[in-house]
Amino acid sequence: MGKPTGFMEYDRVTGRVIAPKERILNFREFHLPLSKEEQQKQGARCMECGVPFCQSGMMIEGMASGCPLHNLIPEWNDLVYTGNWKQAYRRLKKTNNFPEFTSRVCPALCEAACTCGNYGEAVTAKENEYGIIEYAYAAGIAGAHPPKVRTGKRIAVIGSGPAGLAAADQLNKRGHDVTVFERDDRIGGLLMYGIPNMKLEKSVIGRKIAVMQEEGVAFVTNANVGKQVKAEKLLKEYDRIILACGARQARDIHAPGRDAAGIFFAVDYLSSVTKSLLDSDLKDQKFVSPKGRHVVVIGGGDTGNDCVGTCIRLGAASVTQLEMMPKAPDVRAEDNPWPEWPKVAKTDYGQEEAIAVFGHDPRIYQTTVKEFYKDKNGNVNGMLTVRLEQAKEEKTGRSLLKEVPGSEKKIPADLVLIAAGFLGSEKYVADAFGVKQNDRTNVQTKPGRYETGTPRVFACGDMRKGQSLVVWAIREGREAAVEVDESLMGYSYMAVQ
């Protein structure tokens, strides 16, 4: 695959990134793609591996190595190299319903497992994917292809995130009649409101939804199933139900002063900003402005980083990010060999912007909040932090974090965003359909399957698996679709991989 000596002849080159101080002036995407000619050189770097770990999707030490969708990466790298973009698009779409999303927001598990990356720099698989899908739209080959035959079977998908959309897309292509119900006013789930516009411009989602609608998928917004829309009605009107409502139950911080005004869950805050941006270009001010405020983000993951970048764009006076865990090493540790996911430190776009604007990295490691302070009006105006150190539980030997005595420190905080992860799915939807949740509040399904204990009701995505990546959600949706198809038709020829 690719040019046999390409990885020796060509260096890794990625598209230009707009400088931090320039890109923070708006909410537009800031990665500029390579030319087609340069992208073809990057495709040539694929090493013709005997075992392409990039597409393996294996679990090693509890972490995914390679693409969970088993994308045919060496194949479309070769097709990019030879300039056969149309065929590259066909191979890409064979395993991935939404490369326009994953090429923008996926952390590129494929590149972390690239053999070339074990000895030098990985192949630019993610940018090659972006080049393929954007070429396909520009060339008019990514348009609608409605099924020629309909089965007459009706399926309701609850939730329009990547899992729900993937299931809907697959089942519609099979010829079933699919309706997607979304409680928000726009389709996309966390793709729409949980991921900021500068990472995924919402026109990209709208472009794909328009194709799906032309292919026959029906979308219903402002439809909160389990509340305004009754589960009994859907069970009566549809042959199968797929629950794909995500894992929106946010993890809270329990500390004195938590009831102060000005403390928000991160996804709720990001959603309010994106909705205001889409509705009015932020003119309606239907979000809490961080302008001139000292913002503290609690949580060091992707969502926390998105909060940093968002608040900088909105004029925060300062942004501090608290991270409970120690800083990861700059290079792979000996106990973290390739092709495991590299547990190394990275500086994401939000942190880069903070460094450019404020002159320092916003992250404070091994630190958590011990108390929130509030003013006489009940507004948060500071917090007490404490350092943490790693220790072991005496009885079990398990690792834990404990406070370092005397390490308390007061810091200013006029706006606090909690990005501490998610606990699982919201209970009311599960209760409405009579499905059970496990101790992590994920919907229970039959072992190794997607069918729940309630007849004709299936679950997939974060609602079943717990908080995860967009690529895992798409895989879950595709696999659930096969199971639903088999239950309706007695067999299924839909390809998952």
Side-chain angles (χ1 to χ4, degrees):
M1 303 298 172
K3 188 176 183 180
T5 57
F7 69 97
M8 295 186 290
E9 295 180 33
Y10 305 122
D11 293 331
R12 176 184 168 103
V13 177
T14 58
R16 186 172 73 85
V17 177
I18 296 173
K21 287 190 176 181
E22 182 180 350
R23 71 192 190 219
I24 63 171
L25 300 177
N26 57 61
F27 280 83
R28 301 296 303 274
E29 289 183 10
F30 52 84
H31 291 90
L32 305 179
L34 295 171
S35 67
K36 284 180 64 178
E37 293 73 22
E38 183 57 52
Q39 203 74 67
Q40 288 177 213
K41 287 183 182 178
Q42 295 306 304
R45 296 187 69 243
C46 197
M47 292 179 66
E48 197 175 358
C49 302
V51 179
F53 287 92
C54 59
Q55 64 186 46
S56 64
M58 300 183 300
M59 297 300 295
I60 305 176
E61 297 295 325
M63 299 176 293
S65 174
C67 180
L69 288 170
H70 308 300
N71 281 335
L72 305 173
I73 297 164
E75 293 188 32
W76 41 258
N77 277 336
D78 178 56
L79 292 164
V80 166
Y81 163 54
T82 57
N84 196 338
W85 292 87
K86 186 174 182 179
Q87 186 63 18
Y89 168 69
R90 289 173 176 166
R91 301 308 286 169
L92 175 58
K93 287 289 287 184
K94 189 173 178 64
T95 56
N96 188 351
N97 299 73
F98 310 118
E100 54 269 270
F101 305 156
T102 54
S103 64
R104 287 169 164 85
V105 304
C106 183
L109 304 176
C110 52
E111 293 188 18
C114 175
T115 305
C116 194
N118 188 35
Y119 299 99
E121 292 189 287
V123 174
T124 57
K126 183 175 175 179
E127 290 207 25
N128 293 352
E129 179 183 29
Y130 179 95
I132 293 168
I133 187 60
E134 292 306 314
Y135 164 84
Y137 275 107
I141 59 175
H145 299 282
K148 295 180 179 179
V149 178
R150 289 287 178 182
T151 65
K153 304 295 184 182
R154 305 185 70 208
I155 300 162
V157 177
I158 318 303
S160 69
L165 290 178
D169 193 37
Q170 292 291 94
L171 290 165
N172 177 69
K173 291 181 186 302
R174 177 68 167 90
H176 303 309
D177 293 312
V178 182
T179 302
V180 178
F181 293 85
E182 169 57 53
R183 69 180 178 182
D184 287 328
D185 62 340
R186 289 181 174 89
I187 295 296
L190 284 180
L191 291 170
M192 177 60 69
Y193 284 132
I195 297 176
N197 208 64
M198 55 275 196
K199 281 176 71 174
L200 175 61
E201 288 195 22
K202 307 315 168 187
S203 59
V204 174
I205 301 173
R207 180 178 64 178
K208 181 58 183 178
I209 297 304
V211 171
M212 292 178 67
Q213 286 177 313
E214 193 174 343
E215 290 178 333
V217 179
F219 294 95
V220 182
T221 55
N222 297 306
N224 196 342
V225 175
K227 292 187 177 179
Q228 292 95 334
V229 180
K230 300 301 181 185
E232 295 82 0
K233 183 176 186 292
L234 298 183
L235 286 166
K236 184 178 180 179
E237 294 179 356
Y238 291 88
D239 299 295
R240 297 292 184 272
I241 308 290
I242 299 177
L243 304 179
C245 305
R248 286 288 297 270
Q249 188 173 302
R251 188 186 303 276
D252 206 348
I253 299 292
H254 300 288
R258 172 62 182 86
D259 59 339
I263 302 175
F264 302 89
F265 289 120
V267 169
D268 294 340
Y269 184 78
L270 293 173
S271 298
S272 70
V273 173
T274 299
K275 180 167 172 51
S276 177
L277 179 69
L278 297 177
D279 286 349
S280 69
D281 196 24
L282 302 176
K283 292 182 177 64
D284 63 14
Q285 289 291 304
K286 291 185 177 179
F287 63 94
V288 176
S289 175
K291 188 171 184 178
R293 296 187 178 191
H294 299 289
V295 180
V296 176
V297 179
I298 303 174
D302 288 340
T303 303
N305 173 70
D306 291 339
C307 289
V308 173
T310 296
C311 289
I312 288 173
R313 281 165 175 75
L314 295 172
S318 69
V319 181
T320 302
Q321 189 175 12
L322 304 184
E323 169 60 82
M324 292 179 64
M325 301 303 295
K327 182 180 181 292
D330 293 324
V331 296
R332 283 183 185 267
E334 289 188 5
D335 62 354
N336 177 216
W338 177 89
E340 289 182 5
W341 173 257
K343 294 182 284 188
V344 297
K346 70 171 185 175
T347 301
D348 214 328
Y349 77 95
Q351 287 117 22
E352 289 176 350
E353 292 161 2
I355 292 169
V357 173
F358 303 119
H360 61 86
D361 195 308
R363 291 169 289 189
I364 303 176
Y365 294 97
Q366 292 182 255
T367 301
T368 191
V369 59
K370 193 168 185 178
E371 183 178 354
F372 297 102
Y373 299 130
K374 47 189 173 182
D375 62 21
K376 62 182 181 181
N377 296 317
N379 299 308
V380 66
N381 66 354
M383 63 169 64
L384 184 67
T385 65
V386 63
R387 289 273 298 166
L388 302 171
E389 64 180 1
Q390 290 184 309
K392 286 191 175 181
E393 198 173 60
E394 290 185 10
K395 292 183 179 180
T396 64
R398 291 187 306 175
S399 295
L400 52 80
L401 295 171
K402 68 176 185 178
E403 295 182 5
V404 177
S407 65
E408 290 84 359
K409 182 180 179 182
K410 293 181 180 180
I411 63 173
D414 305 314
L415 176 63
V416 177
L417 305 177
I418 299 174
F422 298 88
L423 296 173
S425 60
E426 294 166 288
K427 192 171 185 295
Y428 75 91
V429 181
D431 288 347
F433 287 94
V435 301
K436 295 181 179 179
Q437 293 177 297
N438 60 23
D439 55 1
R440 297 177 62 195
T441 71
N442 299 327
V443 167
Q444 286 186 354
T445 57
K446 296 177 181 179
R449 299 181 61 190
Y450 293 85
E451 186 178 7
T452 70
T454 300
R456 301 188 294 118
V457 178
F458 297 73
C460 64
D462 288 2
M463 193 172 191
R464 186 190 85 102
K465 182 182 176 63
Q467 182 191 12
S468 192
L469 302 173
V470 170
V471 280
W472 277 112
I474 295 172
R475 174 170 165 173
E476 289 256 319
R478 290 171 63 89
E479 291 182 344
V482 172
E483 197 169 304
V484 168
D485 188 40
E486 288 175 341
S487 76
L488 287 168
M489 309 301 287
Y491 70 98
S492 182
Y493 56 71
M494 292 195 302
V496 178
Q497 304 170 4

